[in-house]
């Protein structure tokens, strides 16, 4: 191994200090660390601390309402000790520990590169590791345990590479402790470390002679794995079965495949560069295969392969595998930066030598010219030595990496990433402090995804967070997250499954109830190519108005302005109905929204009744918002619509009291507003019924490219939907009823933060503020907390 010079050590120390300060200052840029995972880590820490002596590492009292936890506790045990010893603010301890471990990766990368290749390349690698985007991004979203294992893995591999410098006992003790720490700290890191190590051992067993290593030596690499697993075996024996049994559900799989896969083109580009390690090995070690080269190549290759794990039924967040290729790919880039710098410095030096020879030639012809050229050449030569040129070219290449290669990032770009992940602020933290002081320790909160994880960890209250399925680890958390999402979004959610062309689809209804004018109701399409439903039809009670006369004087009233008299859900095996009754002293309006078992239609009935003799009903005016454009021939009793970009078809059928229809088309938005005017003819009582359906249709391009075929296809769809329906016997799914869910799940508080769009926040706050089931107990400029009565 090449010995480090004092100059290199000083430079390395400077890079390490830069890396630490860069990370630490970035994490406290907005006072509070960005990301939401820090809340998860804090909830694990306080679940450990608050259990006292007999700790169950598989139980979290706060995260997702409290229950089984499969978060490996190594990082949390370490941080808990520092918190107890120092009494520093919790988020500051996380920041210091994560920044320190991340910075030490710079040193380990230097050691590996120096041991396998050369010291000048190691310095370049150290600098590049200090500015690596993926690692900085991991700090910003809060993947602190993963940061720790991204240090432990290269340290362990460095020990393997330098095994000959150890005696047996120190080697096995140190590597066993390191591997045990990996196993205790992060599940995916444990899996990746073992996969890479087993691949290296297998490669050596098969090609040991070419590599120049005895097979027994390769097998000895497995002993520390066994010893390390033995050290933490009490935990592994419990966590492994729990991890396997409780992890994947259909919802998590669908969401993961829809949003967390890695493009194959990106993966193939990484595969291509793996072979470069062997070319460099041939140049520097005079053979293609050496143990360090094989290790680095497989360290890059194996995680890349697992990004495509869904092809063999392995479901997880595939983006997470990319973090494991950071070190080997940065080492590879650093080697080429060093090699390129050496090459251009050598070429330039050769050019200077040839120029000197040319000057000597001039001397024989012209003494004056020779003296001038010689003086100029000497000045340049004093500055442009080969080493100076190497340094200059190296710095140029590093700056190019800094500003132009995507896996590295400049400060301005990383600040944008920081702002993207930033969750916490003083008002939000103030609300958590209020909850910690003013609510019972077992009070259950519901809030949004990112704030919810902070809330669980720092307010130390059981918290149901509205997390998307792709970011959920446990099957038990799926219904909790779904319930939280539904509660923050709407009052009632239900659907009906039906069979269409041998395909089982569903039609979904979202009803915001009587206290918020937004989705009253909204009808969504089940798309056959994604798990996310498509909002197709929408009524807004603000846009539904009743024109009535009192003693012959016309009056106009929006349904949104009417006080709620009764609101409830009825459901059995045959149907689900949401009934909302609103009224004034003059008239009462009851809206019934119903789905039936096996039906593809949503039936909406509006019943209007006057309350006094001097009141008469004149008109009902309503607006239907459609995220599609009209399609097919216009009929008096039905209108068809098509959202061509998502291949969703919808239809409205007027069952009673045919309205006057006026449509306003917004071509740029691919949407339509359908204005429906019902003549109530001065009656005392009126009933209006409409049926809505929407479902996925064919993506056959032949239909969409031929106007005649297109028109014929969708006219047939409209006609078929007007025929009597043969309902199937597919069971109705369990509906969401916010009144029942609050009671069943013993929800005590709802916290509504305001880091989403302002309109959305205003609507959510209005939803709870107007509902007599909730009482506002805390509010500042960024969050409102409502108590469930």
């Amino acid at each position: 191994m090449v010995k480090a010079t004092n100059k290199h050590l000083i430079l390395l120390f400077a890079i390490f200090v830069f890396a630490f300060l860069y990370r630490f200052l970035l994490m406290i840029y907005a006072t509070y660390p960005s990301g939401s995972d820090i809340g998860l880590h804090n909830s694990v820490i306080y679940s450990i601390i608050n259990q006292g002596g007999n700790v169950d590492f598989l139980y979290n009292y706060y995260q997702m309402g409290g229950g089984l936890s499969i978060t490996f506790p190594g990082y949390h045990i370490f941080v808990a000790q520092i918190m107890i010893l120092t009494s520093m603010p919790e988020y500051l301890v996380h920041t210091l520990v994560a920044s320190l471990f991340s910075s030490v990766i710079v040193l380990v990368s230097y050691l590996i590169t120096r041991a396998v290749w050369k010291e000048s390349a190691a310095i370049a690698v150290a600098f590049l590791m200090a500015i690596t985007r993926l690692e900085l991004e991991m700090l910003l979203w809060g993947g602190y345990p993963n940061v720790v294992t991204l240090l432990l893995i290269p340290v362990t591999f460095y020990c393997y590479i330098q095994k000959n410098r150890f005696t047996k006992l120190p080697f096995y003790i140190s590597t066993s402790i390191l591997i045990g720490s990996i196993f205790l700290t992060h599940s995916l890191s444990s899996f990746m470390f073992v996969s890479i190590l087993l691949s290296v051992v297998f490669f050596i067993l098969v090609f040991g002679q070419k590599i120049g290593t005895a097979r027994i030596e390769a097998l000895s690499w497995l002993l520390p794995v066994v010893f390390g697993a033995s050290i933490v075996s009490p935990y592994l024996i419990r966590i492994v079965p729990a991890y396997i049994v409780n992890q994947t559900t259909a919802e998590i799989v669908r969401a993961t495949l829809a949003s967390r896969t890695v493009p194959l083109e990106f993966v193939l580009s990484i595969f291509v560069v793996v072979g470069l390690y062997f070319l460099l090995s041939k140049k520097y070690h005079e053979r293609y295969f050496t143990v360090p080269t094989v290790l680095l190549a497989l360290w890059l290759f194996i995680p890349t392969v697992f990004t495509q794990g869904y092809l063999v039924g392995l479901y997880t967040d595939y983006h997470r595998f990319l973090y494991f290729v950071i070190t080997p790919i940065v080492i590879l880039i650093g080697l080429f930066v060093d090699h390129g710098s050496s090459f251009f410095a050598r070429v330039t030096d050769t050019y200077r030598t040839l120029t000197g020879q040319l000057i000597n030639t001039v001397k024989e012809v012209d003494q004056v010219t020779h003296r001038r050229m010689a003086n100029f050449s000497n000045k340049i030569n004093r500055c442009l030595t080969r080493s100076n040129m190497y340094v200059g070219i190296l710095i140029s290449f590093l700056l190019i990496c800094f500003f132009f290669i995507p896996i590295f990032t400049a400060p301005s770009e990383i600040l944008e990433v920081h702002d993207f992940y930033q969750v916490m602020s003083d008002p939000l933290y103030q609300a958590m402090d209020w909850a910690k002081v003013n609510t019972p320790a077992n009070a259950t909160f519901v809030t949004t995804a990112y704030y919810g994880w902070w809330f669980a960890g720092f307010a130390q209250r059981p918290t149901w967070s509205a997390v998307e399925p792709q970011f959920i680890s446990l099957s038990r958390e799926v219904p909790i997250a779904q319930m939280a999402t539904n509660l923050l979004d709407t009052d009632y959610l239900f659907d009906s499954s039906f069979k269409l062309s041998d395909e089982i689809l569903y039609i979904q209804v979202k009803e915001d109830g009587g206290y918020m004018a937004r989705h009253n109701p909204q009808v969504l399409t089940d798309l056959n190519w994604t798990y996310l439903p498509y909002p197709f039809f929408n009524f807004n009670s603000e846009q539904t108005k009743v024109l009535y006369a009192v003693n012959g004087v016309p009056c106009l009233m929006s349904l949104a302005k009417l006080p709620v008299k009764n609101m409830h859900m009825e459901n059995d095996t045959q149907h689900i109905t949401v009934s909302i009754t609103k009224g004034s002293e003059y008239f009462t309006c009851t809206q019934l929204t119903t789905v039936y078992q096996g039906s593809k239609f949503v039936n909406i009935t509006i019943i209007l009744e006057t309350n006094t003799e001097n009141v008469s009903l004149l008109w009902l005016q309503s607006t239907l918002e459609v995220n599609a454009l009209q399609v097919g021939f216009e009929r008096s009793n039905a209108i068809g619509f098509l959202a061509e970009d998502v291949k969703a078809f919808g239809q409205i059928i007027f069952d009673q009291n045919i309205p006057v229809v006026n449509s306003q088309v917004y071509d740029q938005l691919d949407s339509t507003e359908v204005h429906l005017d019902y003549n109530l003819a001065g009656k005392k009582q009126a009933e209006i019924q409409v049926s809505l359906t929407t479902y996925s249709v064919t993506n056959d391009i032949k239909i969409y490219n031929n106007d005649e075929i297109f028109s014929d296809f969708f006219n047939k769809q409209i006609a078929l939907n007007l025929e009597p329906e043969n309902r199937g016997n597919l069971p109705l799914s369990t509906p969401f009823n916010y009144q029942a869910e609050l009671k069943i799940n013993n929800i005590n508080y709802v916290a509504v933060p305001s880091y989403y769009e302002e309109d959305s926040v205003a609507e959510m706050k209005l939803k709870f503020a107007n509902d007599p089931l909730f009482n506002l107990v805390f509010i500042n400029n960024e969050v409102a907390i409502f108590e469930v009565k």
Side-chain angles (χ1 to χ4, degrees):
M1 183 180 72
V2 180
K3 289 185 178 181
T5 64
N6 290 335
K7 198 177 291 186
H8 282 144
L9 290 177
I10 292 170
L11 186 56
L12 178 64
F13 179 74
I15 293 172
F16 168 74
V17 172
F18 162 75
F20 176 76
L21 292 176
Y22 188 25
R23 285 152 172 74
F24 180 73
L25 294 174
L26 180 63
M27 292 181 72
I28 63 168
Y29 176 73
T31 304
Y32 305 99
S34 58
S36 57
D37 278 39
I38 184 174
L40 165 64
H41 305 318
N42 225 48
S43 70
V44 174
I45 288 168
Y46 277 98
S47 293
I48 294 171
I49 292 174
N50 293 340
Q51 287 185 53
N54 191 15
V55 179
D56 183 0
F57 292 114
L58 270 65
Y59 196 87
N60 188 319
Y61 286 96
Y62 312 110
Q63 182 73 7
M64 299 303 282
L68 175 68
S69 170
I70 57 171
T71 302
F72 284 37
Y75 165 82
H76 310 92
I77 295 169
F78 180 79
V79 172
Q81 299 303 315
I82 298 177
M83 285 183 180
I84 293 169
L85 291 172
T86 63
S87 299
M88 285 194 297
E90 298 127 318
Y91 63 84
L92 188 58
V93 176
H94 287 287
T95 303
L96 286 168
V97 171
S99 300
L100 180 61
F101 275 94
S102 178
S103 304
V104 176
I105 297 174
V106 170
L107 303 180
V108 181
S109 302
Y110 166 86
L111 291 174
I112 291 175
T113 310
R114 191 183 69 169
V116 180
W117 310 101
K118 54 190 292 193
E119 184 154 14
S120 56
I123 291 293
V125 168
F127 176 77
L128 293 174
M129 283 301 301
I131 58 170
T132 303
R133 180 191 179 98
L134 283 176
E135 191 191 333
L136 292 171
E137 190 169 325
M138 180 179 286
L139 287 173
L140 294 179
W141 61 253
Y144 306 150
N146 205 166
V147 168
V148 173
T149 53
L150 286 179
L151 168 64
L152 296 175
I153 289 173
V155 169
T156 308
F157 284 151
Y158 177 72
C159 291
Y160 277 112
I161 291 171
Q162 296 290 80
K163 185 181 177 185
N164 293 335
R165 303 187 69 211
F166 291 89
T167 56
K168 285 188 178 181
L169 188 60
F171 171 77
Y172 287 121
I173 291 175
S174 58
T175 51
S176 298
I177 292 173
L178 287 168
I179 293 171
S181 300
I182 295 171
F183 289 163
L184 191 63
T185 302
H186 196 251
S187 56
L188 188 62
S189 297
S190 303
F191 174 74
M192 287 313 308
F193 172 77
V194 172
S195 299
I196 294 167
L197 190 65
L198 289 177
S199 301
V200 173
V201 171
F202 175 79
F203 201 94
I204 294 174
L205 289 175
V206 175
F207 303 103
Q209 192 170 0
K210 289 185 178 180
I211 297 173
T213 302
R215 290 182 173 85
I216 191 67
E217 179 70 13
L219 292 173
S220 71
W221 282 30
L222 299 178
L223 291 178
V225 177
V226 176
F227 298 151
S230 301
I231 294 171
V232 294
S233 58
Y235 177 72
L236 293 180
I237 288 170
R238 294 190 62 207
I239 190 62
V240 171
Y243 197 91
I244 294 171
V245 171
N246 292 280
Q247 196 174 26
T248 302
T249 67
E251 292 87 350
I252 295 174
V253 170
R254 286 199 300 270
T256 300
L257 293 178
S259 62
R260 304 303 295 171
T261 55
V262 179
L264 185 60
E265 298 80 10
F266 180 81
V267 172
L268 292 175
S269 65
I270 296 180
F271 283 156
V272 169
V273 303
V274 170
L276 297 177
Y277 264 121
F278 301 111
L279 297 178
L280 288 170
S281 179
K282 178 65 175 176
K283 174 174 176 56
Y284 286 98
H285 303 299
E286 298 182 351
R287 58 191 307 171
Y288 287 108
F289 299 104
T290 64
V291 171
T293 304
V294 170
L295 173 59
L296 287 165
L298 291 174
W299 191 354
L300 181 58
F301 180 79
I302 297 300
T304 306
V305 169
F306 277 110
T307 61
Q308 305 301 303
Y310 60 90
L311 298 174
V312 293
L314 175 65
Y315 300 108
T316 187
D317 184 348
Y318 303 103
H319 289 222
R320 300 285 291 273
F321 289 110
L322 296 177
Y323 294 110
F324 297 98
V325 308
I326 295 172
T327 301
I329 206 163
V330 168
I331 289 174
L332 187 62
I333 293 171
L335 287 170
F336 274 96
V337 166
D338 173 74
H339 181 71
S341 302
S342 299
F343 172 77
F344 285 111
R346 186 171 62 253
V347 169
T348 308
D349 191 52
T350 303
Y351 173 77
R352 287 194 307 108
T353 303
L354 294 175
T355 304
Q357 294 174 359
L358 178 62
I359 291 171
N360 291 331
T361 304
V362 172
K363 180 179 179 181
E364 299 172 2
V365 179
D366 186 346
Q367 292 289 339
V368 177
T369 303
H370 170 262
R371 271 197 305 273
R372 290 175 180 173
M373 293 181 66
N375 290 336
F376 180 72
S377 178
N378 290 334
K379 289 179 182 179
I380 293 177
N381 288 341
R382 280 195 295 269
C383 299
L384 292 182
T385 62
R386 180 181 288 197
S387 60
N388 286 346
M389 286 188 292
Y390 167 80
V391 171
I393 296 170
L394 179 67
I395 292 173
S396 300
F397 280 148
L398 292 177
L399 290 175
I400 290 171
C401 292
F402 196 17
F403 289 105
F404 298 107
I405 297 184
I407 69 168
F408 306 107
T409 182
S412 59
E413 294 175 348
I414 203 64
L415 285 177
E416 292 179 9
V417 178
H418 172 279
D419 293 341
F420 175 79
Y421 286 113
Q422 185 63 40
V423 174
M424 193 48 55
S425 64
D426 284 334
L428 293 175
Y429 204 87
Q430 178 191 14
M432 295 191 300
D433 281 341
W434 178 90
K436 193 173 180 180
V437 173
N438 295 283
T439 64
N442 62 346
T444 301
F445 282 74
V446 172
T447 188
T448 53
Y450 304 129
Y451 189 46
W453 287 32
W454 271 87
F455 211 99
F458 287 84
Q460 294 163 40
R461 294 295 182 269
T463 305
W464 293 38
S465 305
V467 184
E468 295 178 71
Q470 63 267 31
F471 301 116
I472 291 175
S473 301
L474 282 166
S475 55
R476 77 162 184 90
E477 297 174 344
V478 174
I480 292 172
Q482 189 60 60
M483 183 271 174
T485 302
N486 292 341
L487 180 64
L488 292 172
D489 181 48
T490 191
D491 283 352
Y492 305 101
L493 186 71
F494 52 102
D495 56 63
S496 171
S497 298
F498 59 92
K499 197 170 184 179
L500 186 69
S501 302
D502 297 324
E503 188 175 10
I504 296 176
L505 302 173
Y506 66 82
I507 186 167
Q508 188 175 80
V509 181
K510 184 184 291 186
E511 172 59 73
D512 285 344
Y515 299 107
M516 183 167 66
R518 187 183 57 164
H519 305 318
N520 312 108
Q522 184 182 61
V523 180
L524 299 97
T525 317
D526 174 24
L527 301 177
N528 55 14
W529 52 271
T530 177
Y531 80 103
L532 294 171
Y534 178 75
F536 201 97
F537 294 114
N538 187 68
F539 286 100
N540 185 327
S541 58
E542 188 70 52
Q543 297 175 327
T544 300
K545 299 176 176 132
V546 178
L547 181 64
Y548 61 100
V550 181
N551 295 323
V553 179
C555 303
L556 187 66
M557 174 65 74
S558 163
L559 292 188
K561 300 293 191 295
L562 289 174
V564 178
K565 292 189 171 183
N566 184 279
M567 186 170 72
H568 66 277
M569 173 182 278
E570 303 169 3
N571 64 289
D572 55 32
T573 58
Q574 299 299 313
H575 81 292
I576 300 171
T577 297
V578 170
S579 174
I580 300 171
T581 301
K582 305 175 102 177
S584 66
E585 58 181 304
Y586 301 113
F587 69 92
T588 301
C589 175
T590 299
Q591 179 175 299
L592 306 172
T593 305
T594 304
V595 296
Y596 293 95
Q597 180 186 16
S599 174
K600 62 184 175 183
F601 290 99
V602 177
N603 300 102
I604 300 175
T605 301
I606 297 177
I607 302 170
L608 295 166
E609 254 183 305
T610 61
N611 294 331
T612 58
E613 286 297 323
N614 63 336
V615 177
S616 58
L617 302 170
L618 303 179
W619 289 86
L620 176 76
Q621 300 169 336
S622 185
T623 299
L624 175 63
E625 300 164 348
V626 188
N627 286 320
L629 299 177
Q630 192 169 333
V631 68
F633 296 134
E634 192 168 328
R635 293 169 168 81
S636 62
N637 65 337
I639 309 174
F641 299 91
L642 175 68
E644 189 171 343
D645 54 339
V646 296
K647 302 298 183 286
F649 172 78
Q651 185 171 338
I652 179 170
I653 300 172
F654 306 110
D655 298 321
Q656 289 186 20
N657 207 342
I658 307 297
V660 177
V661 178
N662 291 292
S663 297
Q664 186 171 356
V665 178
Y666 300 95
D667 288 318
Q668 291 183 337
L669 301 175
D670 288 335
S671 64
T672 308
E673 279 190 358
V674 182
H675 302 285
L676 308 174
D677 295 334
Y678 289 90
N679 187 353
L680 305 182
K683 296 178 182 178
K684 301 293 183 184
Q685 182 177 355
E687 182 175 315
I688 294 165
Q689 289 187 7
V690 297
S691 297
L692 302 166
T693 187
T694 176
Y695 47 85
S696 286
V697 288
T698 180
N699 59 358
D700 186 351
I701 197 165
K702 294 177 183 176
I703 292 175
Y704 298 94
N705 286 344
N706 186 298
D707 291 341
E708 186 177 343
I709 297 175
F710 177 87
S711 178
D712 182 61
F713 178 84
F714 286 104
N715 278 319
K716 285 181 179 178
Q717 291 291 318
I718 295 171
L720 286 171
N721 290 328
L722 291 172
E723 295 178 2
E725 183 183 26
N726 293 320
R727 296 177 188 165
N729 57 0
L730 295 170
L732 292 166
S733 61
T734 303
F736 171 79
N737 176 352
Y738 85 108
Q739 296 148 318
E741 294 292 337
L742 289 170
K743 186 175 181 180
I744 292 169
N745 297 299
N746 196 26
I747 303 300
N748 305 112
Y749 296 90
V750 179
V752 184
S754 60
Y755 49 75
Y756 290 132
E757 297 90 348
E758 291 182 5
D759 290 344
S760 174
V761 174
E763 288 170 348
M764 278 202 289
K765 287 183 178 176
L766 193 65
K767 161 185 162 64
F768 296 107
N770 291 343
D771 194 324
L773 263 178
F774 301 94
N775 182 38
L776 180 66
V777 292
F778 176 90
I779 189 168
N780 59 30
N781 62 333
E782 289 194 27
V783 63
I785 298 178
F786 298 90
E787 183 180 18
V788 181
K789 293 182 181 178

